[in-house]
Amino acid sequence: AQSVTQLGSHVSVSEGALVLLRCNYSSSVPPYLFWYVQYPNQGLQLLLKYTSAATLVKGINGFEAEFKKSETSFHLTKPSAHMSDAAEYFCAVSDGRGAQKLVFGQGTRLTINP
Amino acid sequence: NAGVTQTPKFRVLKTGQSMTLLCAQDMNHEYMYWYRQDPGMGLRLIHYSVGEGTTAKGEVPDGYNVSRLKKQNFLLGLESAAPSQTSVYFCASRAGVPREQFFGPGTRLTVL
């Protein structure tokens, strides 16, 4: 069975500061990993994905994530936070097989302080 | 392209009432999924479909039924709504490749 743990249900940073959202996964097979963002009252939008190619993945809006197999982690970072980054972020894992069902973490709400 | 659309956006039901949520996608995707989102629990898979005419249970299927009579539509039914089904429901679809799922805007359901 697969699982995802996001450390910290709420993260608050100042505008211009580094954003670091943590995600650790458990998977018995090589995983496919995703970060999604959800703005208030909207659906989920894909930020980036890891599908066994490069371990450092760049996504939209200046976000990137690094797949570290030894640490079973896929942390999301952005060098400089912007007010528009305030949202909820979800990490998800898939086994890449068949229906490729996603298992989501519980989410991290990011607040940006001016 | 409209992408993934969901109908209705909001609904209030009384305990024991029934309703159907409609998900439609215009991307010719084979795979479709229904999730529910509850605070602090992320999204949990209710049912999914790997193609027209097929459905399968996800992580939390009890109290829900689904149908996929047409490739572009995936219906989620609640036969006898319960307060525990108060949630935000999201539909998603996916092509074979690439692997990411595309999400609809959600339906906020309240069961009194």
Side-chain angles (χ1 to χ4, degrees):
Chain A
Q2 298 179 300
S3 66
V4 171
T5 301
Q6 291 183 238
L7 298 176
S9 58
H10 290 88
V11 171
S12 181
V13 303
S14 298
E15 190 173 18
L18 171 72
V19 175
L20 171 61
L21 304 182
R22 300 179 186 272
C23 172
N24 287 88
Y25 69 91
S26 173
S27 179
S28 57
V29 298
Y32 294 89
L33 294 157
F34 306 82
W35 275 101
Y36 282 88
V37 61
Q38 183 182 32
Y39 299 103
N41 299 314
Q42 294 188 25
L44 278 70
Q45 178 183 1
L46 182 70
L47 271 180
L48 49 80
K49 62 183 178 183
Y50 167 76
T51 57
S52 75
T55 56
L56 182 62
V57 180
K58 294 187 183 299
I60 63 172
N61 301 339
F63 284 93
E64 63 181 37
E66 186 172 9
F67 173 69
K68 292 187 177 181
K69 183 178 179 180
S70 61
E71 299 177 7
T72 61
S73 69
F74 190 56
H75 301 331
L76 182 71
T77 61
K78 181 174 181 178
S80 178
H82 191 272
M83 295 299 292
S84 61
D85 294 327
E88 189 151 22
Y89 292 79
F90 293 94
C91 182
V93 64
S94 164
D95 62 7
R97 300 175 177 176
Q100 300 187 28
K101 297 172 285 184
L102 289 177
V103 175
F104 284 86
Q106 68 269 43
T108 297
R109 183 167 299 278
L110 178 64
T111 301
I112 311 297
N113 301 313
Chain B
N1 285 351
V4 180
T5 58
Q6 293 183 232
T7 308
K9 289 184 170 51
F10 303 93
R11 186 72 185 268
V12 178
L13 290 178
K14 294 181 179 178
T15 297
Q17 288 185 318
S18 64
M19 77 162 295
T20 300
L21 282 67
L22 171 64
C23 175
Q25 52 95 4
D26 61 2
M27 298 175 282
N28 200 35
H29 286 172
E30 288 293 332
Y31 302 87
M32 296 187 74
Y33 310 81
W34 275 108
Y35 295 90
R36 60 178 288 171
Q37 182 182 24
D38 301 293
M41 302 185 73
L43 279 77
R44 293 179 292 167
L45 183 64
I46 304 171
H47 285 281
Y48 64 97
S49 169
V50 300
E52 181 179 318
T54 75
T55 63
K57 294 180 180 179
E59 180 186 358
V60 289
D62 293 343
Y64 305 95
N65 57 76
V66 288
S67 64
R68 183 120 181 253
L69 299 180
K70 294 183 178 180
K71 185 177 184 178
Q72 64 268 34
N73 296 337
F74 195 28
L75 278 64
L76 178 70
L78 287 72
E79 291 187 348
S80 180
S84 60
Q85 295 177 304
T86 293
S87 187
V88 181
Y89 292 85
F90 287 99
C91 176
S93 71
R94 181 179 68 84
V97 177
R99 302 179 184 275
E100 66 261 31
Q101 295 182 17
F102 294 83
F103 284 80
T107 294
R108 185 172 296 274
L109 175 66
T110 301
V111 182
L112 302 176

